[in-house]
Amino acid sequence: MLIRAGYRIGFDCLNPMPIHLLLSVHPDRRGDLVTDDKLRTDAGAEVTREQDALGNLATRVLAPAGPITFSAEFVVRDSGLRDRQAPGAGQLPVEALPVEALPYLLPSRYCETDRLGDLAWRTFGGVAPGWARVQAICDYVHDRITFGYHNARPTRTAAEGHEEQVGVCRDFAHLAVTLCRAMNIPARYCTGYLGDIGVPASTAPMDFSAWFEAYLEGEWFTFDARHNIPRIGRVVVARGRDAADVAITHTFGQAILTRFEVITEEVEATAADTSEGAARMAVA
């Protein structure tokens, strides 16, 4: 299947400033791009793209004072399958984990394992280690937090989300990540596109989504505590310890957000789409 995705994000910059953006499809999925996802801007700003320390594809822009809009629209090929399930996947002991997984056991800006460790062991200590334990955590978070865009707060931590019992997708992900880490399961935060594919369409405006991945038996598996069902059509943009690592935009100065639109929808494949996409990618 093919998915059309993209964004239009506008700022009014009070002064010239650098802006850091994580909006490119993750390197793991770039082979699935049918057309280019190159970021475009209407202000003639200097744009560079590079891989960051966590393996994400970042864009740096030196924005002039005044209005600036960032946009991209592209097509990506997807398997059309739901998130992979492996109910028998076991949990590796900490001493057997690869070194690259160890940072995802530690507390981070939004994931305070030290504050929720006792709760995690009381609640999930009796659940079989591995997939069953991660799924039990997802069930708990899904039932604990009530979703609502009006509940969004950029400074809310996992412990605060647990206490307040409200939030958006990032809050579901942060709490699940924190509880997994407290149970010695490496977990990392993910952001990307997730459209209403294979589920009833939402009346809310499309937005970027957040979910998480847990490390079991030597592999990273996708989990989503907000929706808590396997979904179709995830396109990962960035992975990190939590949302602080993978902010979609980061302005290094005073700027007012003036526009925010996200596109994610299934489209029908045609021979013209495929050949045009191949040609555009070859030129890029």
Side-chain angles (χ1 to χ4, degrees):
M1 65 180 292
L2 297 180
I3 297 172
R4 183 172 75 100
Y7 54 85
R8 293 177 184 85
I9 302 174
F11 289 98
D12 188 2
C13 301
L14 303 189
N15 299 287
M17 69 184 67
I19 300 179
H20 183 272
L21 307 107
L22 284 173
L23 290 166
S24 299
V25 170
H26 193 274
D28 286 355
R29 293 296 303 272
R30 299 201 66 75
D32 295 326
L33 286 171
V34 177
T35 59
D36 191 16
D37 69 337
K38 182 179 179 180
L39 178 147
R40 294 171 174 80
T41 177
D42 59 356
E46 180 183 344
V47 178
T48 58
R49 191 158 68 172
E50 60 195 1
Q51 192 161 309
D52 70 12
L54 295 171
N56 306 307
L57 197 54
T59 303
R60 288 203 273 182
V61 177
L62 188 58
I68 186 170
T69 299
F70 305 107
S71 64
E73 188 172 316
F74 58 93
V75 175
V76 59
R77 185 177 292 104
D78 190 79
S79 68
L81 301 176
R82 296 187 182 275
D83 300 326
R84 187 161 64 101
Q85 302 292 286
Q91 179 177 335
L92 295 178
V94 173
E95 62 270 21
L97 291 171
V99 66
E100 60 269 20
L102 295 179
Y104 298 104
L105 287 176
L106 304 178
S108 56
R109 165 68 178 86
Y110 293 104
C111 299
E112 324 101 297
T113 53
D114 51 342
R115 293 186 62 187
L116 294 177
D118 289 344
L119 168 74
W121 281 101
R122 286 198 312 269
T123 308
F124 308 108
V127 180
W131 187 279
R133 183 172 280 174
V134 180
Q135 186 56 58
I137 288 171
C138 287
D139 294 342
Y140 178 86
V141 174
H142 181 78
D143 293 339
R144 178 78 182 182
I145 297 180
T146 298
F147 180 88
Y149 285 111
H150 61 286
N151 295 322
R153 191 176 80 238
T155 59
R156 182 183 288 120
T157 68
E160 291 169 343
H162 184 268
E163 180 179 351
E164 297 170 20
Q165 300 185 53
V166 295
V168 291
C169 56
R170 61 179 267 157
D171 299 299
F172 287 79
H174 281 150
L175 181 53
V177 163
T178 303
L179 294 173
C180 283
R181 291 179 187 172
M183 300 302 297
N184 297 329
I185 303 168
R188 61 190 185 187
Y189 181 96
C190 304
T191 185
Y193 296 94
L194 179 61
D196 298 326
I197 301 174
V199 298
S202 171
T203 58
M206 185 57 63
D207 197 354
F208 291 103
S209 188
W211 60 90
F212 75 102
E213 294 173 346
Y215 192 79
L216 300 170
E217 285 198 356
E219 298 183 60
W220 290 100
F221 290 94
T222 296
F223 290 89
D224 187 337
R226 180 201 163 185
H227 297 104
N228 208 24
I229 58 172
R231 291 288 297 269
I232 299 170
R234 291 185 200 274
V235 181
V236 65
V237 168
R239 299 184 178 101
R241 293 166 297 181
D242 59 30
D245 283 341
V246 295
I248 296 298
T249 63
H250 191 123
T251 58
F252 293 87
Q254 291 182 294
I256 300 168
L257 181 67
T258 58
R259 186 176 187 180
F260 189 88
E261 301 170 10
V262 179
I263 307 164
T264 315
E265 61 185 8
E266 182 181 2
V267 294
E268 293 186 5
T270 67
D273 292 334
T274 306
S275 60
E276 180 184 354
R280 286 179 60 184
M281 290 299 287
V283 171

